[in-house]
Amino acid sequence: MIAAIVAAAGSGERFGAPIPKALIQLGDRTLLEHAVSSLSAVVDQIVVTAPAGFEDQIRSLVGDAVTVVTGGATRSDSVRAGLAAISDAEFVLVHDAARALATRELAASVVAALKSGDVAVVPALPVVDTLQNVGADGYVVNAVDRAPLRRIQTPQGFSYSVLNAIHQGAQDATDDSTLALNAGHKVRVIAGEERALKITTPSDLATALTFLGDATTFSTGVGVDAHAFGEGRELWLAGLHWPDEVGVDGHSDGDVAAHAICDALFAATGLGDLGSNFGTSRPEYAGASGVTLLKETLSIISKGRYSISHVSVQIIGNRPRIGARRAEAIATLSQALGGAEVAILATTTDGMGLTGEGKGIAAIASALVIKNA
Ligand code: CTP
Ligand code: MG
């Protein structure tokens, strides 16, 4: 039997999104789902290590055939947690969810090397840049010959006994092949893939998108919403509850910022509008929160193979003052949109018009989306 551990428990600090990196959307699914799907054709059992608190969300993403365990503080701790859920495997692959686009062919090549007798196998690519050691003083100390150097990727493959042995202690390394090497095992190197890049920053995500299809195209959309204030209503705006403010009328929560963003996304993708997707013919959405509608919109456009590059929304009204809660609002909206980049602006209208007269709140949003071929 062949098992695989998908390390997905990191927070993605360098990426900087308000959700764990493995849950970031890339094309029509999350990084984690990409990673799982390339392994599922090649191995018999998959164990995913989830960030604490995200186990159930990840279980519902990857389905019942995949085991989900809670990861640890370091990558090595997470791999050990995954290993504990595997008992009778002959070989185990260890893969980073962050290397979402590694192909199933790469996983198959790793398995083939294991079957031919290697006990530790890594995919790797040559280094293209000039390499130099730099001192603490900011000056180059010496040049390094790059010819024998390689960039090591995942999935990495191990015989179960070797992987188990190298994880007996509490060793820590950025990958498992380093632990295998330190323990004296021979590590076989096979050809890696550019598309198996480790998605670390938002610009890596843009690079990864280019591997999803050569006919990637951008489109934009604009959405507008406005609601009048209504007595006795709670105010929901930009995904947040504003306890001391007057709310707005409407049969939903009246979150004009969320609604304008939904419409901008529908406009950019040509997939209808708020009314056609969530209107009176879909009673299950009556009273739905702005965040729920954003999540549903993301799911609709993802099925259409669109992903969000950027969303901005400008809130127009005298109240509430957005500034103090801007970061919180951006995090909430971004989370609902699968970690997309979000900007929130606010303005008044010099006393003119609906919102200037203090009768309500309006919002205008724009969205830039990418269509993946
Ligand atoms: N990982 C893990 N458990 C940890 C840390 C990392 O399972 N405690 C996983 C990550 O989810 C990722 C892989 O190991 O799929 C490679 O790590 P990296 O790319 O560094 O991801 P993060 O640690 O999440 O990112 P950062 O270092 O920027 O915080
Ligand atoms: Mg890390």
Side-chain angles (χ1 to χ4, degrees):
M1 195 191 82
I2 306 173
I5 298 166
V6 181
S11 59
E13 210 168 302
R14 287 168 290 178
F15 196 95
I19 56 174
K21 190 166 71 175
L23 296 175
I24 299 276
Q25 195 83 12
L26 168 63
D28 62 349
R29 54 194 121 148
T30 60
L31 299 189
L32 176 62
E33 288 168 277
H34 281 288
V36 166
S37 85
S38 67
L39 292 171
S40 60
V42 178
V43 306
D44 308 295
Q45 183 194 4
I46 297 180
V47 180
V48 170
T49 72
F54 289 86
E55 297 87 345
D56 288 343
Q57 191 179 338
I58 284 181
R59 245 172 232 124
S60 69
L61 271 183
V62 295
D64 292 342
V66 172
T67 309
V68 176
V69 300
T70 308
T74 66
R75 184 185 181 283
S76 297
D77 287 337
S78 294
V79 172
R80 280 188 280 277
L83 197 51
I86 295 169
S87 47
D88 58 349
E90 188 183 358
F91 304 125
V92 184
L93 304 193
V94 185
H95 191 28
D96 291 336
R99 297 188 186 274
L101 296 186
T103 64
R104 65 182 57 184
E105 288 76 18
L106 185 60
S109 304
V110 172
V111 168
L114 290 169
K115 285 184 173 165
S116 75
D118 288 308
V119 296
V121 182
V122 296
L125 289 176
V127 174
V128 293
D129 293 312
T130 296
L131 297 178
Q132 295 176 337
N133 283 312
V134 179
D137 60 0
Y139 287 90
V140 172
V141 177
N142 63 305
V144 178
D145 178 14
R146 73 182 172 205
L149 293 176
R150 295 291 180 271
R151 295 181 283 146
I152 304 300
Q153 302 183 312
T154 71
Q156 301 183 351
F158 303 89
S159 71
Y160 174 81
S161 58
V162 164
L163 190 66
N164 203 32
I166 63 179
H167 279 293
Q168 278 312 308
Q171 303 90 325
D172 188 30
T174 51
D175 80 341
D176 303 279
S177 72
T178 304
L179 297 180
L181 189 72
N182 292 346
H185 298 288
K186 285 192 81 165
V187 180
R188 175 75 176 186
V189 179
I190 65 166
E193 294 177 331
E194 290 293 349
R195 60 178 291 149
L197 81 161
K198 189 163 79 164
I199 296 169
T200 307
T201 64
S203 82
D204 295 330
L205 193 67
T207 306
L209 270 173
T210 65
F211 286 107
L212 280 183
D214 50 10
T216 299
T217 53
F218 286 88
S219 51
T220 64
V222 171
V224 177
D225 193 30
H227 280 288
F229 289 123
E231 281 309 318
R233 298 268 303 178
E234 308 237 293
L235 182 67
W236 284 88
L237 186 64
L240 304 182
H241 181 226
W242 302 74
D244 301 321
E245 300 282 344
V246 180
V248 298
D249 280 330
H251 78 281
S252 66
D253 68 355
D255 185 336
V256 291
H259 297 175
I261 292 173
C262 291
D263 262 349
L265 290 167
F266 287 129
T269 55
L271 293 171
D273 61 14
L274 265 183
S276 67
N277 284 287
F278 309 122
T280 45
S281 62
R282 307 288 303 276
E284 67 269 33
Y285 292 114
S289 72
V291 162
T292 300
L293 295 183
L294 287 168
K295 286 183 178 164
E296 279 304 308
T297 302
L298 173 65
S299 142
I300 291 167
I301 70 170
S302 298
K303 283 186 193 115
R305 298 195 58 74
Y306 288 95
S307 49
I308 303 172
S309 169
H310 182 84
V311 158
S312 70
V313 61
Q314 183 158 39
I315 295 164
I316 307 169
N318 301 337
R319 300 199 58 84
R321 310 304 286 180
I322 303 298
R325 298 186 72 190
R326 191 193 311 270
E328 194 188 344
I330 288 174
T332 304
L333 297 182
S334 172
Q335 190 160 351
L337 293 172
E341 218 173 79
V342 173
I344 302 180
L345 301 78
T347 189
T348 57
T349 57
D350 221 4
M352 298 180 292
L354 159 79
T355 72
E357 290 161 21
K359 291 180 181 167
I361 310 177
I364 301 181
S366 77
L368 177 64
V369 302
I370 303 160
K371 169 106 186 183
N372 308 115

